[in-house]
Amino acid sequence: MRLPDVRELEVLGMVGAGACGRVYRARNAAGEAVAVKVFAETAVNRDLLEEAALRLEEGGWPAGVAEELACDYRGKQLLRITPLYEEDGQEGPVPRSLQHRLARFPGENSWPVVQEILKALAALHDRRVAHGNLKPGNVFFDGDDRVVLTDWALGNMPGVASLEYTDAVLYQPPDQLREPEGYLREKGYRRDVFAFAVLAFRLLTGAFPRCTKTFDQVAPEPGKTRREGIAANLKQVAKAVESQPLVEWPDAAANPLEKAYREILDSCLSLDPAQRPATAAEVLGRFEAAERELAAERQRDAVLDQHRSVRRSAWRANVAAGVLAGAAVILAVQWRLATRDLESEETGRRADVKKLEAARAITDAARVRAEETLESERKALQYEKDLWLARLEESRATGDRLFAWAMEKGHRRLPPLDGRDQRLKRLELYFQDFITRTAEIPALKEERARARLQLAEVSLAKGDPKQAAQRLKEALDHAGDLPAGADLDLRLATDRLLLALLFQERNDPETAAAFVAARMALVEVPQADVDLDRVQQLLAVLDFHESRLLAAAGRDAEALEQLLRATRTLDRLADQRPDVAVLRSELAACFFASATILDGIGQMGDAREVRAQASEEILRLLKDDPGNLDLRLDLAGCYGAMAEAAILSGDIAAAEATSKSAVKLLEELMRQWPDRVEVRSRLAAQRWLMAGILRDRGEQEEARKLIEEGILLVERIAVGESADPIARYRLAMLLWQKGRMSGADGGLEEEIELESRGAELMRKLVTTDDDFVRAEQVRRSLGYLLGDLGHAAQRAGKKELAESVFAEAVAVWAELNRTRPQNEEYEEGLSWSRQRLDEL
C-alpha cells in the first residue's frame, strides 16, 4: 500500500462533496488524471478501510474494482487516490457513473450492466471484502465502458461517529439499517446481495422493488449525486421496507432465461437474511447454472425433434400402401349405398331445416336478452371495481406522502405544516379536486366529509381565520357522515380552539364567541376515551388566552382565576417535558399575566409575591395533608419553575431565593425517595440553575461543585437502554456547562471531551424511539452546544474536528429552519455556523 505524496499532485478543482468527504480532480507526476478523496474523520472507520484495502491489494486488484493508486488511513489527513473516471460534457467534465447514466435505464443494456455489476461484486467477495455501500453513485465505467465499483466499506458502517443521509440507505436491507455492526460478523455479503438485487430491479424496471413512490421522492435525480434537506430515520425506513414482504415485477419475463434470472433476484430480495444467497459468487453461479440448464434443454429438444421426424416418415410409408389398397374397395361399396340413401335423406333434411329455422329464431331472441343482461351486470361490476380501485389508490398516495414527510422530519410524527406554503397549497388543491370529482358518487360521502375537515385544517395552518371558519362550518355540517367517536370529537374541539386563537391574533370581534364554542366542545369530549392530559392541556391553553380577553374587559377576578387554573395544569404537564427553557417559560407567562392583573387591582404590589401565587395553592392543600409527599414534590416543582421564570426575566435575586426553597424541599424528598426520577431530575435542574448564577458572579469553584453534584444525581438514570429522557437531557446540559467552565480555565481538551459527551446524549434524544416530546428544543440546544464545541476545537487547533462539528451544526440549524421558516433565532444560528465553517 503506497503512501501518497501530495507534493506530486496538481489539484485542478473539486468534483463534489458527499457524506463521507470531498473528492478533488488532480494530475499526478506522470501527468495522469486522478481522483483524490479526502475523508471526514467522524464519517469513516479508519481500521475497516485499511483492512479492506489490504485484502483487495493482495494478489493484484480484482477486475471490476477501482484500484487504489495510493492511500493514507493512518495520517492526520485521511485520503485515497484512484483513477479519475470522467468524460467531456457540454458544460465541462461529467463523471462516468451509473448515477449520471440512470436516465438510460431500463433499456437494451440493462441485463449486461446488471451482470457486469454482479461479476465485479463477486470478485470483491472472493477477496473477503463486503462492499456495504452499493448504490448508482458508487458504480462507474472505465474508458472501455466496463463496470468499476468504488467507495466500499463507507457510509452506514460500524464505528462511524457521524452518519448523514445518502441514497445508499434506499438499497440496504432492514437488518443493515438496524444493525450496521453486523458488517464485522460476516453479514455484509448477504446485505450486498440484497443491495445488488434492489439496484438490478431498478435498472430493469425503473422502479424500486419496495416503497418506490416514497423512495423516488428522496432518491437523487439522474445526473445528480445528492438530494439536500433529507434527514432519514433508518429504523422507520426498515419498517417501511418490511411492510411489503412480497416483490412484484411490473410485467412478464421476455423469455425463459429472464424468468429464471428474476427468480434468482427474488431470492436475493428476501427480508430474511438466511434465505438470501451467501455471496455474490453464489448468485453468479446460479445465473450461469440457469444459462447452462436452458442451453441443455434446447439441445435435448432438437435431438428429440429429429428422432420424431424419422419415426413419422417410416410409419407414413407403411400405412400409405395399405390405405391405398383398401380405399378402392371401400369407395365402390360406399358409392352404391350412398346413391340409395341419398334420396331418402334429402326428404328428411327438408323437414329438419324447417324445424331448425324455427328453433334458431327462438334461440336468437333469448341470446339477445342474455347478452343485454350480461352487459348490464358487467358494467355494474366494473363500476364497483373502479370505485374501490380509486379509493385504494388515494389511500396509497396519502400513505406515501405521510411517510415521505415523516422521513423528512426524522421522527415518527407528521411535521407541522405551518410555513410550508407550497405544501399547503398542494393539499388544498388536492382536497378541492377530490370533492369536485366525487360529488356524484354516494359511496364516497365519508371520504368527502373527511376532505372537507382537512380543508378546514389546511386553512387553520395557513393562518386564514375567515376561510377556516367557513370551511369548518361546512365540515361540521357533514360531520354526520364520519364515524362517530371520541377521537373525532377531540379533533373538532381542537380545530375550534385553533380557530379562536387565530381570531385573537387578528383582534377579531368574533374571538370571544369562538372561545366559548371551543370550551363547550372540549368539555363535551368523553375524557375516558381519549388522552386526558391532552384535553387538560388544551383547556389550560384556552384558559390562558381567554384570560387576556377578560382582563382587557376589566373582569380581573375571572381572569386571575383562569390563569391560576392554567398554571396548575401547565405545572403538572411541564414535568413531562425536558426542555425547561421553553416549557417553563409558558408557565412564567401565566405568572407575569397574573402579576399585571394583581398590580392593576392593588392586591399584590410585589412581583415576587405574584410569582408565589401558584405555590400558595399547594400550601393550602398541604395544611390539610402535611405528610403528602406528592404535594411536596409539586410545590418544589412550582418553586423551581418560578426560579427559572425569574432567570428568564432577569430577576437574579428572586431566582436565587426561590431556587433555594425548591432545593430545600427536594433534598428532604431525596432522603425519602432516593430513587424517584422526578426528584433527582428537578434537583439536578436547580444545581444547573444555581451554578449558572455563581459562575456569572465569578465563584467558579462553587459553581463547579454544584455541577458535579448535578451530574452525580442524574448520571445513573440517564444512561443505558432504560434511561429517563428528562434525566438524559439534564445530564447533557450539565456536561455542557461544565465544559464551558473548563474551557474558560484553559482546559480545552476537557471542554471538548465534556461537550462531545453532551452532544452525543442530545443526538440520542433527537433520534430516540421514546415518546419524547419537543425534539425541536433538543435540536435547538444541540445547535448551540455544537457551536461551543466547534469553537473549542478551533481554539485547540483541531481543524478537522472543528470542520466536522460546524458542518453538523449547519445541518441542525437547517433542519430547525425547515421546521419553523423565518424564525430569527434559527436563521441567525444557521448563518453563524455557516460563517464559521466557511472561515475554516
Side-chain angles (χ1 to χ4, degrees):
M1 183 182 299
R2 187 171 71 86
L3 292 175
D5 187 352
V6 294
R7 294 172 298 181
E8 296 179 355
L9 299 176
E10 178 187 357
V11 179
L12 305 177
M14 182 186 293
V15 177
C20 297
R22 301 180 180 181
V23 181
Y24 297 89
R25 185 185 300 106
R27 185 180 293 111
N28 60 17
E32 299 171 332
V34 296
V36 181
K37 183 152 189 174
V38 180
F39 296 104
E41 170 73 22
T42 60
V44 299
N45 185 330
R46 289 174 178 257
D47 296 335
L48 190 61
L49 283 176
E50 184 177 23
E51 181 181 353
L54 289 172
R55 289 184 180 181
L56 292 173
E57 186 181 30
E58 183 180 356
W61 285 86
V65 179
E67 178 181 359
E68 283 189 355
L69 303 177
C71 60
D72 186 359
Y73 298 125
R74 291 295 176 181
K76 182 177 181 181
Q77 185 72 65
L78 280 74
L79 58 87
R80 167 194 292 168
I81 301 177
T82 62
L84 181 65
Y85 303 107
E86 281 189 341
E87 59 189 0
D88 294 332
Q90 295 180 352
E91 299 180 359
V94 178
R96 289 201 301 268
S97 76
L98 181 58
Q99 180 64 36
H100 286 77
R101 299 185 180 185
L102 207 54
R104 305 180 188 181
F105 298 91
E108 296 180 357
N109 206 32
S110 292
W111 273 114
V113 170
V114 167
Q115 290 177 320
E116 281 195 44
I117 295 173
L118 177 58
K119 291 176 181 178
L121 191 60
L124 199 70
H125 287 185
D126 286 343
R127 298 296 180 85
R128 296 179 296 114
V129 174
H131 193 290
N133 192 32
L134 199 60
K135 63 176 183 174
N138 291 338
V139 178
F140 282 79
F141 299 89
D142 61 14
D144 298 326
D145 253 7
R146 307 294 296 179
V147 163
V148 178
L149 300 183
T150 66
D151 284 357
W152 55 88
L154 294 177
N156 188 20
M157 290 287 111
V160 172
S162 175
L163 177 62
E164 293 185 17
Y165 165 79
T166 71
D167 59 315
V169 305
L170 308 180
Y171 298 85
Q172 294 172 358
D175 46 296
Q176 182 175 0
L177 295 173
R178 287 196 176 95
E179 186 196 8
E181 292 76 9
Y183 181 94
L184 301 177
R185 297 194 294 275
E186 304 300 325
K187 296 182 181 180
Y189 305 119
R190 295 183 190 270
R191 295 173 178 181
D192 280 354
V193 166
F194 183 94
F196 156 73
V198 176
L199 181 56
F201 192 98
R202 195 177 183 200
L203 294 178
L204 295 169
T205 67
F208 288 92
R210 299 178 175 94
C211 305
T212 187
K213 288 186 178 181
T214 300
F215 284 4
D216 284 342
Q217 295 177 18
V218 297
E221 300 174 0
K224 297 183 179 179
T225 56
R226 287 176 64 84
R227 186 184 287 268
E228 300 295 336
I230 304 298
N233 186 322
L234 301 189
K235 293 183 180 179
Q236 292 294 341
V237 177
K239 289 181 181 178
V241 173
E242 290 172 336
S243 68
Q244 299 183 20
L246 299 180
V247 174
E248 296 183 2
W249 292 83
D251 53 12
N255 51 60
L257 182 59
E258 181 174 342
K259 181 180 179 182
Y261 285 166
R262 288 187 177 186
E263 291 175 354
I264 297 170
L265 291 179
D266 287 343
S267 68
C268 297
L269 289 169
S270 173
L271 297 178
D272 182 2
Q275 300 299 320
R276 303 175 204 146
T279 65
E282 182 179 338
V283 180
L284 181 60
R286 293 188 185 183
F287 270 48
E288 294 172 347
E291 294 171 0
R292 291 193 300 269
E293 183 178 351
L294 185 61
E297 185 177 346
R298 288 175 178 171
Q299 185 175 4
R300 287 194 302 271
D301 289 344
V303 173
L304 290 174
D305 287 344
Q306 186 176 3
H307 283 273
R308 293 190 193 100
S309 177
V310 171
R311 288 198 300 269
R312 281 196 298 268
S313 298
W315 180 80
R316 288 170 183 168
N318 294 329
V319 172
V323 170
L324 289 174
V329 177
I330 294 172
L331 287 173
V333 175
Q334 285 184 341
W335 182 78
R336 291 179 183 178
L337 294 174
T339 303
R340 186 173 61 243
D341 296 337
L342 183 60
E343 293 180 356
S344 61
E345 185 177 351
E346 286 179 352
T347 303
R349 291 286 183 180
R350 293 189 187 97
D352 291 340
V353 167
K354 291 181 180 180
K355 292 179 181 179
L356 289 172
E357 288 178 349
R360 185 177 65 179
I362 297 173
T363 303
D364 287 344
R367 179 176 56 80
V368 170
R369 289 194 298 271
E371 289 178 350
E372 291 176 350
T373 303
L374 182 63
E375 179 64 19
S376 176
E377 292 177 353
R378 188 191 66 78
K379 289 182 178 179
L381 288 174
Q382 186 63 39
Y383 171 78
E384 291 291 331
K385 177 183 177 182
D386 293 342
L387 173 63
W388 286 104
L389 284 176
R391 298 176 75 169
L392 179 61
E393 184 61 30
E394 296 297 342
S395 175
R396 288 173 175 170
T398 302
D400 286 341
R401 193 174 297 114
L402 290 173
F403 179 70
W405 291 349
M407 280 189 63
E408 176 184 341
K409 181 70 176 175
H411 197 275
R412 290 176 299 174
R413 298 183 178 178
L414 181 66
L417 297 177
D418 304 81
R420 291 170 170 80
D421 294 336
Q422 184 64 28
R423 184 172 293 165
L424 288 173
K425 186 64 176 177
R426 287 171 54 193
L427 282 173
E428 187 174 41
L429 292 175
Y430 166 76
F431 290 129
Q432 288 175 334
D433 180 63
F434 177 80
I435 292 172
T436 303
R437 285 189 296 107
T438 63
E440 303 301 325
I441 305 178
L444 293 179
K445 64 178 182 179
E446 179 183 334
E447 282 75 8
R448 282 194 299 276
R450 196 178 305 278
R452 286 188 172 91
L453 178 57
Q454 289 163 328
L455 265 180
E457 290 168 345
V458 167
S459 297
L460 290 171
K462 289 170 61 179
D464 188 343
K466 294 297 183 183
Q467 186 182 65
Q470 177 63 32
R471 287 179 171 174
L472 186 58
K473 181 179 181 302
E474 295 175 2
L476 291 171
D477 292 340
H478 293 82
D481 295 332
L482 293 171
D487 290 337
L488 177 62
D489 294 340
L490 179 57
R491 181 175 179 178
L492 294 173
T494 304
D495 290 342
R496 286 183 180 275
L497 176 57
L498 291 173
L499 180 61
L501 296 177
L502 276 181
F503 277 136
Q504 187 178 45
E505 289 179 5
R506 304 297 193 281
N507 292 322
D508 195 285
E510 298 182 24
T511 303
F515 273 123
V516 172
R519 185 180 298 278
M520 291 177 60
L522 284 170
V523 170
E524 292 174 358
V525 172
Q527 297 188 4
D529 300 329
V530 296
D531 184 351
L532 179 59
D533 285 346
R534 176 61 174 165
V535 176
Q536 291 181 352
Q537 181 186 13
L538 294 175
L539 285 170
V541 171
L542 192 154
D543 284 338
F544 172 67
H545 288 277
E546 191 178 33
S547 69
R548 293 163 55 188
L549 289 179
L550 297 174
R555 299 159 64 180
D556 296 322
E558 295 178 52
L560 181 59
E561 181 182 356
Q562 291 197 181
L563 279 169
L564 291 176
R565 185 166 63 235
T567 299
R568 288 192 296 270
T569 302
L570 287 172
D571 180 49
R572 181 182 61 81
L573 294 177
D575 207 27
Q576 302 171 8
R577 311 284 201 285
D579 44 351
V580 176
V582 170
L583 289 176
R584 295 297 187 182
S585 66
E586 295 176 358
L587 187 58
C590 291
F591 295 154
F592 297 149
S594 300
T596 302
I597 295 173
L598 292 171
D599 285 339
I601 62 178
Q603 291 184 5
M604 303 290 289
D606 195 315
R608 186 177 307 163
E609 294 180 5
V610 174
R611 294 187 179 93
Q613 190 71 38
S615 63
E616 292 177 1
E617 296 294 327
I618 301 175
L619 287 171
R620 291 192 186 98
L621 295 173
L622 281 172
K623 290 179 180 179
D624 298 330
D625 189 5
N628 192 319
L629 297 182
D630 288 314
L631 285 176
R632 291 182 178 275
L633 181 58
D634 290 340
L635 180 61
C638 190
Y639 283 152
M642 292 161 56
E644 294 179 19
I647 284 288
L648 291 175
S649 65
D651 191 350
I652 303 301
E656 188 172 4
T658 50
S659 178
K660 288 181 179 178
S661 299
V663 168
K664 182 180 178 181
L665 285 169
L666 290 168
E667 287 178 342
E668 292 176 357
L669 290 169
M670 272 291 293
R671 288 190 289 271
Q672 301 175 62
W673 279 344
D675 295 325
R676 183 72 176 260
V677 173
E678 294 91 339
V679 177
R680 287 179 169 272
S681 295
R682 291 185 181 182
L683 187 54
Q686 295 309 305
R687 295 288 191 254
W688 174 83
L689 184 146
M690 287 301 302
I693 295 174
L694 294 174
R695 181 199 61 203
D696 293 340
R697 290 178 181 171
E699 300 178 26
Q700 299 291 330
E701 291 301 322
E702 290 298 323
R704 186 182 296 274
K705 180 180 178 182
L706 289 179
I707 292 174
E708 292 291 349
E709 290 178 4
I711 292 174
L712 290 174
L713 280 168
V714 294
E715 193 166 25
R716 178 169 58 85
I717 58 175
V719 295
E721 296 182 357
S722 60
D724 180 69
I726 301 176
R728 180 174 286 176
Y729 181 80
R730 292 295 187 195
L731 179 58
M733 299 293 286
L734 287 162
L735 290 172
W736 179 13
Q737 190 177 49
K738 182 179 178 181
R740 292 180 63 186
M741 294 180 64
S742 298
D745 294 338
L748 290 177
E749 291 296 333
E750 184 180 7
E751 179 181 5
I752 292 173
E753 190 272 333
L754 291 170
E755 291 179 353
S756 297
R757 286 178 58 195
E760 183 60 28
L761 288 171
M762 288 192 183
R763 293 189 192 102
K764 291 180 179 178
L765 288 174
V766 172
T767 59
T768 183
D769 283 336
D770 295 328
D771 189 15
F772 183 58
V773 188
R774 295 292 181 96
E776 176 186 344
Q777 177 62 20
V778 180
R779 282 197 179 89
R780 174 179 173 272
S781 299
L782 178 59
Y784 284 121
L785 192 157
L786 290 172
D788 284 349
L789 177 57
H791 184 58
Q794 187 177 10
R795 288 163 56 203
K798 297 185 177 183
K799 184 178 179 182
E800 295 178 9
L801 176 60
E803 286 182 351
S804 174
V805 170
F806 281 130
E808 184 181 358
V810 169
V812 170
W813 288 113
E815 175 67 19
L816 288 168
N817 272 278
R818 282 190 292 273
T819 303
R820 293 189 183 275
Q822 300 178 351
N823 182 292
E824 293 183 4
E825 180 186 7
Y826 295 169
E827 289 178 354
E828 182 179 350
L830 178 60
S831 175
W832 184 88
S833 298
R834 280 177 174 168
Q835 180 181 355
R836 288 288 186 176
L837 185 60
D838 292 341
E839 289 175 356
L840 289 173

